[in-house]
């Protein structure tokens, strides 16, 4: 089985001032350095992409956006296209985060369209999925994963899958301080990988990184990363403190 490189991405959400963003980016870049055995990305708010890109330049840290629009250009007030993100220095875009699904009402169709457009335009995609507490309590999580994987990835080519990262984020663990146990995370990741294998074959299943997200901390990282199907972390609150985020990167790298 191929060895998947660990991947840690920081989602800053709607936080930081310009000064804070530049300082955070610079501190993460310094902490990670130019050589790491972990793929690392930070995803600041849209207005701070260019200055944070400057702050991390020369390091091993890549720039990502927290969202992207599903059309390439046009009359879409307030939206940001993949080409704009690439020109701003982005390599990655997060798509389908639970806050966009559940707070802003993004549909499975819109998420699939975003995935396609971002990949077609040259971005790599961090695709989020996960169940709510109500869905887990009713033991529906596997049905949710199956629906979300099938809907978001429908129509992708093998080449496009090489630029897709999946992030499993149990909605009940995001920003709550609750963390799925390593065994719960492994169970979810293994199921998602099984679905990828059934739908798209061994190569895609074995090479697609699946990250865990949901109140990740330096203390919980090693246990999560010890599981065979947990390939990294999408970090929320802890990514707003450079020392915490760098500690997670180092823990992921073993």
């Amino acid at each position: 089985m191929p060895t998947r490189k660990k991947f840690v991405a920081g989602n800053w959400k709607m936080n930081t001032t310009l000064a804070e963003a530049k300082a955070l980016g610079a501190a993460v870049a310094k902490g990670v350095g130019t050589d790491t055995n972990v793929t690392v990305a930070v995803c600041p708010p849209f207005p701070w992409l260019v200055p944070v890109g400057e702050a991390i330049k020369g390091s091993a840290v890549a720039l990502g956006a927290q969202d992207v629009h599903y059309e390439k250009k046009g009359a879409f007030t307030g939206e940001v296209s993949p080409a704009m993100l690439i020109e701003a220095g982005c390599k990655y875009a997060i798509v389908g985060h639970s806050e966009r699904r559940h707070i802003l009402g993004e549909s499975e169709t819109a998420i699939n369209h975003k995935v396609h457009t971002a990949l077609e335009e040259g971005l790599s995609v961090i695709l989020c999925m996960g169940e709510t507490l109500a869905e887990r309590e009713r033991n529906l999580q596997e049905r949710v994963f199956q629906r979300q994987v099938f809907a978001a990835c429908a129509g992708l080519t093998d080449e496009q899958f090489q630029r897709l990262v999946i992030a499993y984020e149990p909605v009940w663990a995001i920003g709550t301080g609750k963390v799925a146990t390593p065994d719960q995370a492994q169970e979810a990741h293994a199921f998602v990988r099984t679905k990828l294998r059934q739908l798209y074959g061994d190569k895609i299943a074995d090479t697609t990184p699946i990250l865990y997200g949901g109140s990740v901390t330096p203390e919980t990282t090693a246990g999560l990363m010890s599981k065979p199907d947990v390939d990294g972390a999408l970090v929320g609150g802890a990514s707003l403190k450079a020392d915490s985020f760098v500690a997670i990167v180092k823990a992921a790298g073993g």
Side-chain angles (χ1 to χ4, degrees), residues 130-148 168 191:
E131 82 281 14
T132 64
L133 181 60
E135 287 165 338
R136 176 164 278 272
E137 286 175 342
R138 294 172 61 201
N139 206 33
L140 296 176
Q141 60 268 28
E142 291 187 352
R143 192 176 299 179
V144 173
F145 305 156
Q146 181 165 333
R147 183 188 75 236
Q148 291 178 340
Y168 164 62
F191 182 83

Side-chain angles (χ1 to χ4, degrees), residues 99-246:
E99 289 156 4
R100 298 203 62 84
R101 292 177 187 261
H102 298 292
I103 298 173
L104 298 167
E106 282 194 2
S107 68
E108 299 283 9
T109 301
I111 290 165
N112 176 255
H113 197 167
K114 285 185 176 190
V115 169
H116 272 271
T117 305
L119 292 170
E120 286 164 10
E121 292 288 279
L123 285 168
S124 294
V125 168
I126 301 170
L127 170 66
C128 299
M129 59 183 59
E131 82 281 14
T132 64
L133 181 60
E135 287 165 338
R136 176 164 278 272
E137 286 175 342
R138 294 172 61 201
N139 206 33
L140 296 176
Q141 60 268 28
E142 291 187 352
R143 192 176 299 179
V144 173
F145 305 156
Q146 181 165 333
R147 183 188 75 236
Q148 291 178 340
V149 170
F150 185 81
C153 299
L156 295 183
T157 65
D158 286 6
E159 185 280 327
Q160 288 173 324
F161 261 106
Q162 300 312 305
R163 289 182 288 116
L164 183 77
V165 177
I166 291 175
Y168 164 62
E169 294 199 307
V171 180
W172 47 271
I174 297 173
T176 63
K178 298 178 182 177
V179 183
T181 66
D183 286 341
Q184 284 175 319
Q186 168 58 24
E187 181 181 28
H189 286 220
F191 182 83
V192 172
R193 203 173 302 284
T194 297
K195 286 293 120 187
L196 290 174
R197 197 174 307 282
Q198 291 171 352
L199 290 167
Y200 304 108
D202 289 345
K203 180 181 178 184
I204 286 169
D206 289 338
T207 57
T208 301
I210 304 177
L211 317 183
Y212 172 78
S215 299
V216 178
T217 66
E219 294 72 31
T220 59
T221 300
L224 290 164
M225 298 302 136
S226 69
K227 297 300 180 179
D229 287 298
V230 180
D231 302 316
L234 179 57
V235 186
S239 71
L240 295 173
K241 295 181 180 178
D243 55 349
S244 295
F245 185 68
V246 171

Side-chain angles (χ1 to χ4, degrees), residues 4-23:
R4 293 176 298 272
K5 188 176 181 181
K6 290 288 195 281
F7 188 134
V8 176
N11 177 12
W12 298 0
K13 305 190 180 182
M14 199 172 70
N15 295 297
T16 68
T17 63
L18 175 57
E20 289 167 348
K22 292 188 335 189

Side-chain angles (χ1 to χ4, degrees), residues 25-55:
V28 168
K30 182 179 179 181
V32 171
T34 58
D35 183 31
T36 176
N37 60 345
V38 179
T39 301
V40 183
V42 292
C43 302
F46 283 139
W48 310 153
L49 286 172
V50 172
V52 171
E54 289 293 323

